[in-house]
Amino acid sequence: MRRTIVLVLTGAAVVAGLVQGGALAAPRHATAASGPAVTIRIEGARKTLVPPNLVEPGSGWITRSGAPKGKCPRRSVQGALNRATHGQWKGTWSRQFNEYFITSILGEKPPRHNFWEIFVNYKAASKGACDLKLRRGEQILFADTNGKRHPSALNVVGKSTRSASGTTFRLLLTGFNAHGTGKPLAGVRINGGGIHSAPTNSHGQVEVTDNRPGPLLLRASPTGYIRSETEVFLPSG
């Protein structure tokens, strides 16, 4: 039986619709709280620490490490980080800037010359995490990097088909510049879940087929960019 997904492309962002019997590409859901829902991803130096994760950061204030009440709202990028990691991050509070200097996330501390850089909608943030107010639907990325690389994004596009060999779907790999403007990345193989794809074409796309129902975590590591991951849910039957 043929199964079709419907997607809406808005600039570089890809919003996935539903397939009959399940969703083909959707971020993982953290425990819901309140506040605007955003998607957050955390990329360590050598591996993805948190794949795309839809969170609602809650209300109130973050007050650890000496931060006074009223200075760091949970409805901020810092609140999204707190929710996605279940509070497993460390940092020191700066009274001068009313911000956290984040020292580690999920136990990873950046090596010398690296730091935790924040990207909002694939553009490097010019403010600290507490000052960055959340807007529904935003894409938030924390990356252990040296400030010289920009994000990439891996998304499902077009229609999926079901055959005797499994579900076939198309992936799009996009790289972003300092202004948050995306372009397709060619010549990159997609890996994960035992899959080793052909290189992406000149449009940044490649087709992948898999016959195992359920979640499939795929990743791309384009040269000169921060790696990206996406979780694909393959229908059964």
Side-chain angles (χ1 to χ4, degrees), residues 131-142:
D131 275 341
L132 290 168
K133 296 180 180 179
L134 297 177
R135 293 176 175 81
R136 187 171 296 274
E138 284 182 326
Q139 301 285 325
I140 308 298
L141 169 65
F142 281 80

Side-chain angles (χ1 to χ4, degrees), residues 22 35 126 169 212:
S126 58
F169 53 95
R212 295 163 295 178

Side-chain angles (χ1 to χ4, degrees), residues 43-45 101-105 108-119 124-125 142-149 226:
E43 295 291 345
F101 173 68
I102 300 171
T103 55
S104 71
I105 297 177
E108 178 166 327
K109 183 178 180 179
R112 188 179 180 185
H113 304 307
N114 276 26
F115 59 96
W116 286 109
E117 188 166 10
I118 306 169
F119 298 86
F142 281 80
D144 179 347
T145 184
N146 57 10
K148 298 179 180 179
R149 295 184 300 152
I226 298 166

Side-chain angles (χ1 to χ4, degrees), residues 189-199 206-209 218-219:
R189 296 180 185 272
I190 311 303
N191 299 304
I195 288 177
H196 302 281
S197 79
V206 64
E207 283 194 345
V208 173
T209 300
L218 298 172
R219 70 184 60 87

Side-chain angles (χ1 to χ4, degrees), residues 64-68 71 91-102 130:
R64 67 164 64 180
S65 301
K71 295 296 183 181
T92 58
W93 178 255
S94 169
R95 293 179 179 271
Q96 179 182 359
F97 298 104
N98 287 322
E99 276 292 350
Y100 284 105
F101 173 68
I102 300 171
C130 292

